[in-house]
Amino acid sequence: MRGGGSQRSGRSRLLRVTGIVLGCALVVSLAGAAWAYWHLNQNIKSVDIDSALGDDRPAKAMSTPSPYGAASPSPLPSGALNILVLGSDSRSGARNQELGGGSSGGGARSDTAMVIHLDEGRTKATVVSIPRDTLVTRPSCPRESGGSTAVAYGAMFNSAYAVGGPVCAVKTVEAMTNVRMDHYIEIDFAGFAGLVDALGGVTVTTEEDISDEDSHLELEAGTHHLDGTQALALARTRHGIGDESDLGRIGLQQQLVKALLDQVAATDLLGSPTRLYKVAEALTDSLTTDTDLDSLPELMSLGQSLKALSSSTTETVMMPVLPAPSDPNRVVANEPEASELWESLR
């Protein structure tokens, strides 16, 4: 009898200790999750573009409403959307300086600009690259410190970001396309390279040898699995390919966009919390968005609404251009083809 009571008492103590250990583990786990959420949320930088530009903008795209009384199959947003994505060559921070090979001075430029149009339903996308050397009429833009920039005729497209930051970049794109940019996303060197590494690299196929001293990239023609530093070098490469112009570089950047979509599809992020966190940290740490996307829930909602998107349903094109009459090293929009392209995205 005494032996049986002793065993029950021992089991009782063991259960209590196990419960305490599991409770502590749960508290630690929840605390860790809360810290991770706070950390990632704090990473995101934002710009209030809507307030800066006011109502003098193209109209928002109208989405087809659901049939009366029909239940929505998903709470996720599904309307058509236009997003301006800029790649910034900011040298801010040691990692950006290392990847950019430059000093920390001189400000930043938007050397990569893409308008991503998501069709209604968000199962198809069109990615339109805007050459940085395009000569445009840069509108007057509000300055963060007050006042406005002057209208500039025949200015290089990427000068908009240099003189007025994200607000002027958005206003210039809207002025030249008459398409409302619903969102703005900017990522720098370190963010792009970190994202590629967190995803496990990307696989691309090059049709010619690439040797570029400026981007420090050496690749033989063929299929390669690139890490983040190599992928960034490929995105920046223009010397040693084609006519060494920005137009050749755009082709490589569009190839990388599809490679990233394929890599995301092949990576079970939800099945690997560690990798998911690495991807989220790499992305948010170097991300600047408009204020409608500046939180984890908003970014997650956007990402989840694109889960049906794939490289096969994504079309990549470049804004139609031709050599500028005033400078053969610059380009201008080729009309009416350019206007017809933008019209298709409204």
Side-chain angles (χ1 to χ4, degrees), residues 228-285:
T229 300
Q230 293 169 317
L232 176 64
L234 186 66
R236 300 182 63 212
T237 289
R238 66 171 179 168
H239 301 295
I241 58 166
D243 61 359
E244 301 193 348
S245 73
D246 189 47
L247 306 188
R249 173 164 55 186
I250 282 175
L252 296 176
Q253 292 172 350
Q254 292 178 337
Q255 188 178 359
L256 274 170
V257 168
K258 291 200 169 188
L260 280 170
L261 285 172
D262 287 336
Q263 187 63 28
V264 169
T267 305
D268 182 16
L269 292 178
L270 293 181
S272 175
T274 300
R275 175 160 285 187
L276 178 61
Y277 180 80
K278 287 181 179 178
V279 169
E281 184 172 40
L283 192 58
T284 59
D285 193 42

Side-chain angles (χ1 to χ4, degrees), residues 4 7 30 55 70 86-87 99 101 112 115 137 141 162 170 185 189 196 202 239 249-250 264 274 291 293 314 316 326:
Q7 288 177 357
L30 290 174
D55 297 327
L86 295 186
L99 292 168
T112 300
V115 173
T137 297
C141 300
V170 169
I185 295 175
F189 287 164
V196 172
V202 292
H239 301 295
R249 173 164 55 186
I250 282 175
V264 169
T274 300
T291 48
L293 281 182
T314 300
T316 55
S326 60

Side-chain angles (χ1 to χ4, degrees), residues 25 36 100 116 175 181 199 340:
I116 299 179
M181 296 297 110
L199 287 170
E340 291 169 355

